[in-house]
Amino acid sequence: MSAEWDTQNRYAIMKVGRELLEQVPGLMVIEVHLADGSFSFSSQVSSFLGISRRRLNEMHVEETRETVHPDN
């Protein structure tokens, strides 16, 4: 039971942190989920890269790496 509570607690903390990041103007976050190669991104990523959110959701990790400059 405590392992489940710990997982839920970490998820809640991560969710709040993500919501706060969404409120910072000009800040972009791209999270790569190593387990399955999927990723998620903050709302600013789409407009910054000039790519629709739908297209970003369809992209694979390698395509994303090729789109975002290594210095960023």
Short mmCIF file of all heavy atoms in Angstrom, two decimals:
data_model
loop_
_atom_site.label_atom_id
_atom_site.label_comp_id
_atom_site.label_asym_id
_atom_site.label_seq_id
_atom_site.Cartn_x
_atom_site.Cartn_y
_atom_site.Cartn_z
N MET A 1 0.81 -1.18 0.00
CA MET A 1 0.00 0.00 0.00
C MET A 1 0.86 1.26 0.00
O MET A 1 0.55 2.22 -0.67
CB MET A 1 -0.93 -0.06 1.21
CG MET A 1 -2.15 0.79 1.13
SD MET A 1 -3.13 0.54 -0.35
CE MET A 1 -4.71 0.41 0.34
N SER A 2 1.96 1.23 0.73
CA SER A 2 2.79 2.42 0.78
C SER A 2 3.49 2.69 -0.55
O SER A 2 3.73 3.85 -0.90
CB SER A 2 3.82 2.34 1.91
OG SER A 2 4.79 1.38 1.62
N ALA A 3 3.82 1.65 -1.30
CA ALA A 3 4.44 1.85 -2.61
C ALA A 3 3.46 2.52 -3.56
O ALA A 3 3.83 3.41 -4.33
CB ALA A 3 4.90 0.52 -3.18
N GLU A 4 2.20 2.12 -3.50
CA GLU A 4 1.18 2.75 -4.34
C GLU A 4 0.98 4.21 -3.94
O GLU A 4 0.89 5.08 -4.79
CB GLU A 4 -0.15 1.99 -4.21
CG GLU A 4 -1.24 2.57 -5.09
CD GLU A 4 -2.55 1.80 -4.97
OE1 GLU A 4 -2.52 0.62 -4.59
OE2 GLU A 4 -3.59 2.41 -5.25
N TRP A 5 0.94 4.49 -2.64
CA TRP A 5 0.78 5.86 -2.16
C TRP A 5 1.98 6.70 -2.60
O TRP A 5 1.82 7.83 -3.06
CB TRP A 5 0.65 5.88 -0.64
CG TRP A 5 0.44 7.27 -0.12
CD1 TRP A 5 -0.75 7.92 0.01
CD2 TRP A 5 1.44 8.20 0.30
NE1 TRP A 5 -0.54 9.20 0.49
CE2 TRP A 5 0.79 9.39 0.68
CE3 TRP A 5 2.82 8.13 0.39
CZ2 TRP A 5 1.49 10.50 1.15
CZ3 TRP A 5 3.51 9.25 0.85
CH2 TRP A 5 2.85 10.40 1.22
N ASP A 6 3.17 6.14 -2.51
CA ASP A 6 4.39 6.84 -2.91
C ASP A 6 4.33 7.19 -4.39
O ASP A 6 4.67 8.32 -4.78
CB ASP A 6 5.62 5.99 -2.60
CG ASP A 6 6.90 6.73 -2.88
OD1 ASP A 6 7.04 7.89 -2.41
OD2 ASP A 6 7.77 6.15 -3.56
N THR A 7 3.90 6.26 -5.21
CA THR A 7 3.78 6.51 -6.65
C THR A 7 2.76 7.61 -6.94
O THR A 7 3.01 8.51 -7.74
CB THR A 7 3.39 5.21 -7.39
OG1 THR A 7 4.39 4.24 -7.15
CG2 THR A 7 3.25 5.45 -8.89
N GLN A 8 1.62 7.55 -6.28
CA GLN A 8 0.58 8.57 -6.46
C GLN A 8 1.08 9.94 -6.00
O GLN A 8 0.80 10.95 -6.64
CB GLN A 8 -0.69 8.19 -5.71
CG GLN A 8 -1.41 7.03 -6.32
CD GLN A 8 -2.62 6.60 -5.50
OE1 GLN A 8 -2.82 7.04 -4.38
NE2 GLN A 8 -3.42 5.71 -6.08
N ASN A 9 1.80 9.96 -4.91
CA ASN A 9 2.34 11.21 -4.38
C ASN A 9 3.35 11.82 -5.34
O ASN A 9 3.31 13.03 -5.61
CB ASN A 9 2.97 10.97 -3.00
CG ASN A 9 3.31 12.25 -2.29
OD1 ASN A 9 2.55 13.21 -2.34
ND2 ASN A 9 4.45 12.27 -1.62
N ARG A 10 4.26 11.00 -5.87
CA ARG A 10 5.25 11.51 -6.83
C ARG A 10 4.57 12.03 -8.09
O ARG A 10 4.97 13.04 -8.64
CB ARG A 10 6.27 10.43 -7.16
CG ARG A 10 7.32 10.29 -6.07
CD ARG A 10 8.44 9.38 -6.47
NE ARG A 10 7.97 8.00 -6.26
CZ ARG A 10 8.28 6.97 -7.02
NH1 ARG A 10 9.08 7.13 -8.06
NH2 ARG A 10 7.83 5.77 -6.76
N TYR A 11 3.53 11.33 -8.54
CA TYR A 11 2.79 11.77 -9.72
C TYR A 11 2.13 13.12 -9.46
O TYR A 11 2.18 14.02 -10.31
CB TYR A 11 1.74 10.74 -10.13
CG TYR A 11 0.86 11.22 -11.25
CD1 TYR A 11 1.33 11.23 -12.56
CD2 TYR A 11 -0.42 11.69 -11.01
CE1 TYR A 11 0.55 11.69 -13.60
CE2 TYR A 11 -1.22 12.15 -12.05
CZ TYR A 11 -0.74 12.14 -13.34
OH TYR A 11 -1.52 12.60 -14.36
N ALA A 12 1.52 13.29 -8.30
CA ALA A 12 0.86 14.56 -7.96
C ALA A 12 1.86 15.71 -7.93
O ALA A 12 1.59 16.80 -8.44
CB ALA A 12 0.14 14.44 -6.62
N ILE A 13 3.02 15.47 -7.36
CA ILE A 13 4.06 16.50 -7.30
C ILE A 13 4.53 16.86 -8.70
O ILE A 13 4.70 18.02 -9.05
CB ILE A 13 5.23 16.04 -6.41
CG1 ILE A 13 4.79 15.99 -4.95
CG2 ILE A 13 6.45 16.94 -6.58
CD1 ILE A 13 5.76 15.30 -4.03
N MET A 14 4.74 15.83 -9.53
CA MET A 14 5.18 16.06 -10.90
C MET A 14 4.13 16.85 -11.69
O MET A 14 4.45 17.75 -12.45
CB MET A 14 5.46 14.72 -11.58
CG MET A 14 6.05 14.84 -12.95
SD MET A 14 6.50 13.23 -13.65
CE MET A 14 4.93 12.40 -13.70
N LYS A 15 2.86 16.52 -11.48
CA LYS A 15 1.77 17.20 -12.18
C LYS A 15 1.71 18.68 -11.80
O LYS A 15 1.57 19.54 -12.67
CB LYS A 15 0.45 16.52 -11.86
CG LYS A 15 -0.71 17.07 -12.63
CD LYS A 15 -1.98 16.29 -12.33
CE LYS A 15 -3.15 16.91 -13.06
NZ LYS A 15 -4.40 16.23 -12.75
N VAL A 16 1.85 18.99 -10.53
CA VAL A 16 1.85 20.38 -10.09
C VAL A 16 3.05 21.12 -10.69
O VAL A 16 2.92 22.25 -11.18
CB VAL A 16 1.87 20.48 -8.54
CG1 VAL A 16 2.14 21.90 -8.08
CG2 VAL A 16 0.54 19.98 -7.98
N GLY A 17 4.21 20.49 -10.68
CA GLY A 17 5.40 21.11 -11.28
C GLY A 17 5.20 21.39 -12.75
O GLY A 17 5.57 22.45 -13.26
N ARG A 18 4.59 20.46 -13.45
CA ARG A 18 4.32 20.64 -14.89
C ARG A 18 3.37 21.81 -15.11
O ARG A 18 3.56 22.62 -16.00
CB ARG A 18 3.73 19.33 -15.44
CG ARG A 18 3.26 19.39 -16.85
CD ARG A 18 4.46 19.32 -17.79
NE ARG A 18 4.02 19.41 -19.14
CZ ARG A 18 4.17 18.48 -20.05
NH1 ARG A 18 4.77 17.38 -19.74
NH2 ARG A 18 3.75 18.67 -21.26
N GLU A 19 2.33 21.91 -14.29
CA GLU A 19 1.37 23.01 -14.41
C GLU A 19 2.04 24.36 -14.17
O GLU A 19 1.75 25.34 -14.84
CB GLU A 19 0.20 22.79 -13.47
CG GLU A 19 -0.70 21.64 -13.89
CD GLU A 19 -1.73 21.25 -12.84
OE1 GLU A 19 -1.74 21.84 -11.74
OE2 GLU A 19 -2.52 20.33 -13.13
N LEU A 20 2.97 24.40 -13.21
CA LEU A 20 3.70 25.65 -12.95
C LEU A 20 4.59 26.01 -14.13
O LEU A 20 4.70 27.17 -14.52
CB LEU A 20 4.52 25.53 -11.67
CG LEU A 20 3.73 25.48 -10.37
CD1 LEU A 20 4.65 25.17 -9.20
CD2 LEU A 20 2.98 26.78 -10.14
N LEU A 21 5.26 25.03 -14.72
CA LEU A 21 6.11 25.27 -15.88
C LEU A 21 5.31 25.83 -17.05
O LEU A 21 5.79 26.68 -17.79
CB LEU A 21 6.82 24.00 -16.31
CG LEU A 21 7.95 23.52 -15.42
CD1 LEU A 21 8.47 22.17 -15.90
CD2 LEU A 21 9.08 24.53 -15.37
N GLU A 22 4.08 25.37 -17.21
CA GLU A 22 3.23 25.84 -18.30
C GLU A 22 2.94 27.34 -18.18
O GLU A 22 2.63 27.99 -19.16
CB GLU A 22 1.91 25.06 -18.32
CG GLU A 22 2.04 23.64 -18.79
CD GLU A 22 2.18 23.52 -20.29
OE1 GLU A 22 1.78 24.43 -21.02
OE2 GLU A 22 2.70 22.48 -20.73
N GLN A 23 3.05 27.87 -16.98
CA GLN A 23 2.73 29.28 -16.76
C GLN A 23 3.91 30.21 -16.98
O GLN A 23 3.74 31.42 -16.98
CB GLN A 23 2.20 29.45 -15.34
CG GLN A 23 0.91 28.71 -15.10
CD GLN A 23 0.46 28.78 -13.66
OE1 GLN A 23 0.92 29.61 -12.89
NE2 GLN A 23 -0.45 27.90 -13.28
N VAL A 24 5.10 29.68 -17.19
CA VAL A 24 6.29 30.51 -17.39
C VAL A 24 6.39 30.88 -18.87
O VAL A 24 6.57 30.00 -19.72
CB VAL A 24 7.57 29.78 -16.95
CG1 VAL A 24 8.80 30.63 -17.21
CG2 VAL A 24 7.48 29.40 -15.47
N PRO A 25 6.25 32.17 -19.20
CA PRO A 25 6.31 32.58 -20.61
C PRO A 25 7.66 32.24 -21.24
O PRO A 25 8.71 32.46 -20.65
CB PRO A 25 6.12 34.10 -20.55
CG PRO A 25 5.59 34.39 -19.19
CD PRO A 25 6.05 33.29 -18.31
N GLY A 26 7.61 31.67 -22.43
CA GLY A 26 8.83 31.40 -23.18
C GLY A 26 9.57 30.13 -22.78
O GLY A 26 10.58 29.79 -23.38
N LEU A 27 9.09 29.44 -21.76
CA LEU A 27 9.77 28.21 -21.33
C LEU A 27 9.18 27.01 -22.05
O LEU A 27 7.97 26.85 -22.12
CB LEU A 27 9.61 28.02 -19.82
CG LEU A 27 10.26 26.76 -19.25
CD1 LEU A 27 11.78 26.84 -19.37
CD2 LEU A 27 9.85 26.58 -17.81
N MET A 28 10.06 26.20 -22.62
CA MET A 28 9.63 25.00 -23.31
C MET A 28 10.17 23.79 -22.58
O MET A 28 11.31 23.79 -22.13
CB MET A 28 10.17 24.96 -24.74
CG MET A 28 9.63 26.01 -25.64
SD MET A 28 10.14 25.77 -27.36
CE MET A 28 11.78 25.14 -27.26
N VAL A 29 9.35 22.75 -22.51
CA VAL A 29 9.77 21.51 -21.88
C VAL A 29 9.37 20.35 -22.80
O VAL A 29 8.23 20.27 -23.24
CB VAL A 29 9.09 21.31 -20.50
CG1 VAL A 29 9.48 19.98 -19.90
CG2 VAL A 29 9.44 22.45 -19.57
N ILE A 30 10.35 19.51 -23.10
CA ILE A 30 10.09 18.28 -23.84
C ILE A 30 10.56 17.14 -22.94
O ILE A 30 11.72 17.10 -22.55
CB ILE A 30 10.83 18.23 -25.19
CG1 ILE A 30 10.38 19.39 -26.08
CG2 ILE A 30 10.59 16.90 -25.88
CD1 ILE A 30 11.16 19.51 -27.37
N GLU A 31 9.66 16.24 -22.62
CA GLU A 31 9.98 15.11 -21.76
C GLU A 31 9.99 13.84 -22.61
O GLU A 31 9.01 13.55 -23.28
CB GLU A 31 8.95 14.95 -20.65
CG GLU A 31 8.89 16.14 -19.72
CD GLU A 31 7.72 16.06 -18.76
OE1 GLU A 31 6.58 15.84 -19.23
OE2 GLU A 31 7.96 16.19 -17.56
N VAL A 32 11.09 13.11 -22.56
CA VAL A 32 11.18 11.84 -23.28
C VAL A 32 11.00 10.73 -22.25
O VAL A 32 11.66 10.69 -21.23
CB VAL A 32 12.54 11.68 -23.98
CG1 VAL A 32 12.64 10.33 -24.65
CG2 VAL A 32 12.76 12.80 -24.98
N HIS A 33 10.07 9.83 -22.54
CA HIS A 33 9.79 8.69 -21.67
C HIS A 33 10.61 7.51 -22.21
O HIS A 33 10.27 6.93 -23.23
CB HIS A 33 8.29 8.39 -21.66
CG HIS A 33 7.48 9.61 -21.35
ND1 HIS A 33 7.31 10.09 -20.07
CD2 HIS A 33 6.82 10.47 -22.16
CE1 HIS A 33 6.57 11.19 -20.10
NE2 HIS A 33 6.26 11.44 -21.36
N LEU A 34 11.70 7.23 -21.52
CA LEU A 34 12.66 6.24 -22.00
C LEU A 34 12.08 4.84 -22.13
O LEU A 34 12.51 4.06 -22.98
CB LEU A 34 13.89 6.22 -21.09
CG LEU A 34 14.65 7.55 -21.01
CD1 LEU A 34 15.79 7.43 -20.02
CD2 LEU A 34 15.17 7.95 -22.39
N ALA A 35 11.10 4.51 -21.32
CA ALA A 35 10.55 3.16 -21.33
C ALA A 35 9.94 2.79 -22.68
O ALA A 35 10.10 1.67 -23.16
CB ALA A 35 9.51 3.01 -20.22
N ASP A 36 9.26 3.76 -23.30
CA ASP A 36 8.58 3.43 -24.55
C ASP A 36 8.93 4.35 -25.71
O ASP A 36 8.40 4.21 -26.80
CB ASP A 36 7.06 3.40 -24.36
CG ASP A 36 6.49 4.74 -23.94
OD1 ASP A 36 7.24 5.74 -23.87
OD2 ASP A 36 5.27 4.79 -23.69
N GLY A 37 9.82 5.31 -25.49
CA GLY A 37 10.24 6.20 -26.56
C GLY A 37 9.25 7.30 -26.90
O GLY A 37 9.47 8.07 -27.82
N SER A 38 8.19 7.41 -26.13
CA SER A 38 7.22 8.47 -26.37
C SER A 38 7.69 9.75 -25.67
O SER A 38 8.66 9.73 -24.91
CB SER A 38 5.83 8.08 -25.86
OG SER A 38 5.86 7.96 -24.45
N PHE A 39 7.03 10.85 -25.95
CA PHE A 39 7.39 12.08 -25.29
C PHE A 39 6.17 12.96 -25.12
O PHE A 39 5.14 12.77 -25.75
CB PHE A 39 8.51 12.81 -26.03
CG PHE A 39 8.11 13.31 -27.40
CD1 PHE A 39 7.73 14.62 -27.58
CD2 PHE A 39 8.16 12.48 -28.50
CE1 PHE A 39 7.37 15.08 -28.83
CE2 PHE A 39 7.80 12.93 -29.76
CZ PHE A 39 7.41 14.23 -29.92
N SER A 40 6.31 13.93 -24.24
CA SER A 40 5.27 14.94 -24.05
C SER A 40 5.97 16.30 -24.07
O SER A 40 7.18 16.38 -23.91
CB SER A 40 4.51 14.71 -22.74
OG SER A 40 5.41 14.68 -21.65
N PHE A 41 5.19 17.33 -24.28
CA PHE A 41 5.80 18.65 -24.43
C PHE A 41 4.87 19.71 -23.88
O PHE A 41 3.66 19.54 -23.83
CB PHE A 41 6.11 18.93 -25.90
CG PHE A 41 4.93 18.69 -26.81
CD1 PHE A 41 4.04 19.70 -27.10
CD2 PHE A 41 4.71 17.44 -27.36
CE1 PHE A 41 2.96 19.48 -27.92
CE2 PHE A 41 3.62 17.20 -28.18
CZ PHE A 41 2.74 18.23 -28.46
N SER A 42 5.47 20.84 -23.48
CA SER A 42 4.67 21.96 -22.99
C SER A 42 4.00 22.65 -24.18
O SER A 42 4.41 22.48 -25.33
CB SER A 42 5.53 22.94 -22.21
OG SER A 42 6.54 23.49 -23.03
N SER A 43 3.00 23.43 -23.89
CA SER A 43 2.22 24.07 -24.95
C SER A 43 3.05 25.03 -25.81
O SER A 43 2.72 25.25 -26.97
CB SER A 43 1.02 24.81 -24.34
OG SER A 43 1.47 25.79 -23.42
N GLN A 44 4.12 25.58 -25.28
CA GLN A 44 4.93 26.54 -26.03
C GLN A 44 5.76 25.90 -27.14
O GLN A 44 6.18 26.55 -28.07
CB GLN A 44 5.88 27.30 -25.08
CG GLN A 44 5.19 28.17 -24.08
CD GLN A 44 4.88 27.44 -22.78
OE1 GLN A 44 4.78 26.23 -22.74
NE2 GLN A 44 4.71 28.19 -21.70
N VAL A 45 6.01 24.60 -27.06
CA VAL A 45 6.87 23.92 -28.03
C VAL A 45 6.30 24.02 -29.44
O VAL A 45 7.02 24.31 -30.40
CB VAL A 45 7.11 22.45 -27.64
CG1 VAL A 45 7.87 21.71 -28.72
CG2 VAL A 45 7.86 22.38 -26.32
N SER A 46 5.02 23.81 -29.57
CA SER A 46 4.38 23.82 -30.87
C SER A 46 4.57 25.16 -31.58
O SER A 46 5.01 25.21 -32.73
CB SER A 46 2.88 23.53 -30.71
OG SER A 46 2.23 23.64 -31.94
N SER A 47 4.27 26.25 -30.90
CA SER A 47 4.40 27.56 -31.54
C SER A 47 5.85 27.94 -31.79
O SER A 47 6.18 28.51 -32.82
CB SER A 47 3.70 28.64 -30.71
OG SER A 47 4.27 28.73 -29.43
N PHE A 48 6.75 27.57 -30.90
CA PHE A 48 8.16 27.89 -31.07
C PHE A 48 8.75 27.19 -32.29
O PHE A 48 9.48 27.79 -33.07
CB PHE A 48 8.95 27.50 -29.82
CG PHE A 48 10.42 27.78 -29.92
CD1 PHE A 48 10.90 29.07 -29.72
CD2 PHE A 48 11.33 26.78 -30.23
CE1 PHE A 48 12.26 29.35 -29.83
CE2 PHE A 48 12.68 27.05 -30.34
CZ PHE A 48 13.14 28.34 -30.14
N LEU A 49 8.40 25.92 -32.47
CA LEU A 49 8.93 25.16 -33.60
C LEU A 49 8.14 25.36 -34.88
O LEU A 49 8.58 24.96 -35.95
CB LEU A 49 8.97 23.67 -33.26
CG LEU A 49 9.89 23.25 -32.12
CD1 LEU A 49 9.75 21.77 -31.83
CD2 LEU A 49 11.34 23.61 -32.43
N GLY A 50 6.96 25.97 -34.77
CA GLY A 50 6.13 26.16 -35.95
C GLY A 50 5.53 24.86 -36.46
O GLY A 50 5.34 24.68 -37.66
N ILE A 51 5.27 23.95 -35.55
CA ILE A 51 4.71 22.64 -35.88
C ILE A 51 3.41 22.47 -35.09
O ILE A 51 3.37 22.79 -33.91
CB ILE A 51 5.69 21.50 -35.51
CG1 ILE A 51 7.01 21.66 -36.27
CG2 ILE A 51 5.08 20.14 -35.75
CD1 ILE A 51 8.09 20.72 -35.83
N SER A 52 2.39 21.96 -35.74
CA SER A 52 1.12 21.79 -35.05
C SER A 52 1.26 20.78 -33.91
O SER A 52 2.10 19.88 -33.96
CB SER A 52 0.03 21.31 -36.02
OG SER A 52 0.27 19.97 -36.40
N ARG A 53 0.42 20.94 -32.89
CA ARG A 53 0.42 20.00 -31.77
C ARG A 53 0.12 18.58 -32.26
O ARG A 53 0.70 17.62 -31.78
CB ARG A 53 -0.59 20.42 -30.71
CG ARG A 53 -0.19 21.69 -29.97
CD ARG A 53 -1.17 22.04 -28.88
NE ARG A 53 -1.24 21.06 -27.82
CZ ARG A 53 -0.42 21.01 -26.77
NH1 ARG A 53 0.56 21.89 -26.66
NH2 ARG A 53 -0.57 20.09 -25.84
N ARG A 54 -0.77 18.49 -33.24
CA ARG A 54 -1.11 17.18 -33.80
C ARG A 54 0.13 16.52 -34.41
O ARG A 54 0.41 15.35 -34.18
CB ARG A 54 -2.20 17.34 -34.84
CG ARG A 54 -2.61 16.03 -35.45
CD ARG A 54 -3.73 16.23 -36.41
NE ARG A 54 -4.10 14.96 -37.00
CZ ARG A 54 -4.90 14.82 -38.01
NH1 ARG A 54 -5.45 15.88 -38.57
NH2 ARG A 54 -5.18 13.64 -38.49
N ARG A 55 0.88 17.29 -35.18
CA ARG A 55 2.09 16.75 -35.81
C ARG A 55 3.12 16.36 -34.75
O ARG A 55 3.78 15.32 -34.87
CB ARG A 55 2.68 17.76 -36.79
CG ARG A 55 4.00 17.34 -37.41
CD ARG A 55 3.84 16.13 -38.32
NE ARG A 55 5.13 15.74 -38.82
CZ ARG A 55 5.66 14.53 -38.65
NH1 ARG A 55 5.01 13.58 -38.04
NH2 ARG A 55 6.86 14.25 -39.11
N LEU A 56 3.28 17.20 -33.73
CA LEU A 56 4.22 16.86 -32.65
C LEU A 56 3.84 15.54 -31.99
O LEU A 56 4.71 14.73 -31.68
CB LEU A 56 4.25 17.97 -31.60
CG LEU A 56 5.14 19.16 -31.90
CD1 LEU A 56 4.95 20.24 -30.84
CD2 LEU A 56 6.59 18.76 -31.99
N ASN A 57 2.55 15.33 -31.79
CA ASN A 57 2.09 14.08 -31.18
C ASN A 57 2.39 12.87 -32.05
O ASN A 57 2.52 11.76 -31.54
CB ASN A 57 0.60 14.15 -30.87
CG ASN A 57 0.30 15.00 -29.67
OD1 ASN A 57 1.07 15.03 -28.72
ND2 ASN A 57 -0.80 15.70 -29.70
N GLU A 58 2.49 13.07 -33.34
CA GLU A 58 2.75 11.97 -34.28
C GLU A 58 4.23 11.68 -34.47
O GLU A 58 4.61 10.63 -34.96
CB GLU A 58 2.13 12.29 -35.64
CG GLU A 58 0.62 12.38 -35.62
CD GLU A 58 0.05 12.92 -36.92
OE1 GLU A 58 0.83 13.40 -37.77
OE2 GLU A 58 -1.18 12.85 -37.08
N MET A 59 5.07 12.63 -34.09
CA MET A 59 6.51 12.50 -34.33
C MET A 59 7.14 11.47 -33.41
O MET A 59 6.72 11.27 -32.28
CB MET A 59 7.21 13.86 -34.13
CG MET A 59 6.87 14.85 -35.21
SD MET A 59 7.52 16.50 -34.91
CE MET A 59 9.27 16.23 -35.08
N HIS A 60 8.18 10.82 -33.92
CA HIS A 60 8.98 9.88 -33.13
C HIS A 60 10.11 10.65 -32.48
O HIS A 60 10.43 11.77 -32.87
CB HIS A 60 9.54 8.77 -34.02
CG HIS A 60 8.46 7.97 -34.67
ND1 HIS A 60 7.72 7.04 -33.99
CD2 HIS A 60 7.97 7.97 -35.93
CE1 HIS A 60 6.84 6.50 -34.79
NE2 HIS A 60 6.97 7.04 -35.98
N VAL A 61 10.76 10.04 -31.51
CA VAL A 61 11.83 10.71 -30.77
C VAL A 61 12.94 11.18 -31.71
O VAL A 61 13.43 12.30 -31.59
CB VAL A 61 12.39 9.78 -29.67
CG1 VAL A 61 13.61 10.40 -29.02
CG2 VAL A 61 11.34 9.49 -28.63
N GLU A 62 13.34 10.36 -32.67
CA GLU A 62 14.42 10.75 -33.59
C GLU A 62 14.03 11.99 -34.40
O GLU A 62 14.86 12.86 -34.64
CB GLU A 62 14.79 9.59 -34.51
CG GLU A 62 15.60 8.52 -33.83
CD GLU A 62 16.88 9.06 -33.20
OE1 GLU A 62 17.59 9.87 -33.83
OE2 GLU A 62 17.16 8.66 -32.05
N GLU A 63 12.80 12.06 -34.85
CA GLU A 63 12.34 13.24 -35.59
C GLU A 63 12.41 14.49 -34.72
O GLU A 63 12.80 15.56 -35.18
CB GLU A 63 10.89 13.06 -36.06
CG GLU A 63 10.71 12.07 -37.16
CD GLU A 63 9.24 11.95 -37.51
OE1 GLU A 63 8.53 11.22 -36.79
OE2 GLU A 63 8.82 12.60 -38.49
N THR A 64 12.06 14.33 -33.46
CA THR A 64 12.11 15.46 -32.53
C THR A 64 13.54 15.92 -32.33
O THR A 64 13.84 17.12 -32.35
CB THR A 64 11.49 15.07 -31.19
OG1 THR A 64 10.18 14.58 -31.42
CG2 THR A 64 11.41 16.26 -30.26
N ARG A 65 14.45 14.97 -32.17
CA ARG A 65 15.86 15.31 -32.00
C ARG A 65 16.41 16.06 -33.21
O ARG A 65 17.23 16.95 -33.08
CB ARG A 65 16.69 14.06 -31.75
CG ARG A 65 16.50 13.48 -30.40
CD ARG A 65 17.40 12.29 -30.18
NE ARG A 65 17.16 11.72 -28.87
CZ ARG A 65 17.29 10.45 -28.59
NH1 ARG A 65 17.67 9.60 -29.52
NH2 ARG A 65 17.05 10.00 -27.39
N GLU A 66 15.96 15.68 -34.39
CA GLU A 66 16.41 16.34 -35.61
C GLU A 66 15.81 17.74 -35.77
O GLU A 66 16.40 18.60 -36.40
CB GLU A 66 16.05 15.49 -36.83
CG GLU A 66 16.82 14.19 -36.90
CD GLU A 66 16.30 13.25 -37.99
OE1 GLU A 66 15.39 13.63 -38.74
OE2 GLU A 66 16.82 12.12 -38.06
N THR A 67 14.66 17.96 -35.16
CA THR A 67 13.96 19.25 -35.27
C THR A 67 14.50 20.27 -34.27
O THR A 67 14.62 21.44 -34.60
CB THR A 67 12.44 19.05 -35.03
OG1 THR A 67 11.96 18.08 -35.98
CG2 THR A 67 11.68 20.33 -35.20
N VAL A 68 14.83 19.83 -33.08
CA VAL A 68 15.30 20.74 -32.03
C VAL A 68 16.82 20.82 -32.09
O VAL A 68 17.51 19.79 -32.11
CB VAL A 68 14.85 20.23 -30.64
CG1 VAL A 68 15.38 21.13 -29.54
CG2 VAL A 68 13.34 20.13 -30.58
N HIS A 69 17.35 22.03 -32.11
CA HIS A 69 18.80 22.24 -32.19
C HIS A 69 19.46 21.67 -30.93
O HIS A 69 18.95 21.84 -29.82
CB HIS A 69 19.11 23.74 -32.31
CG HIS A 69 20.52 24.01 -32.66
ND1 HIS A 69 21.52 24.04 -31.72
CD2 HIS A 69 21.11 24.25 -33.86
CE1 HIS A 69 22.67 24.29 -32.31
NE2 HIS A 69 22.45 24.42 -33.61
N PRO A 70 20.61 21.01 -31.07
CA PRO A 70 21.29 20.40 -29.91
C PRO A 70 21.59 21.37 -28.77
O PRO A 70 21.62 20.98 -27.61
CB PRO A 70 22.59 19.84 -30.50
CG PRO A 70 22.31 19.67 -31.95
CD PRO A 70 21.29 20.73 -32.32
N ASP A 71 21.83 22.64 -29.09
CA ASP A 71 22.12 23.62 -28.04
C ASP A 71 20.90 23.95 -27.20
O ASP A 71 21.01 24.52 -26.12
CB ASP A 71 22.66 24.91 -28.65
CG ASP A 71 24.06 24.73 -29.22
OD1 ASP A 71 24.70 23.70 -28.89
OD2 ASP A 71 24.50 25.59 -29.99
N ASN A 72 19.71 23.61 -27.73
CA ASN A 72 18.48 23.91 -26.99
C ASN A 72 18.05 22.72 -26.17
O ASN A 72 17.15 22.74 -25.43
CB ASN A 72 17.37 24.31 -27.96
CG ASN A 72 17.70 25.62 -28.65
OD1 ASN A 72 18.37 26.46 -28.09
ND2 ASN A 72 17.25 25.77 -29.87
#
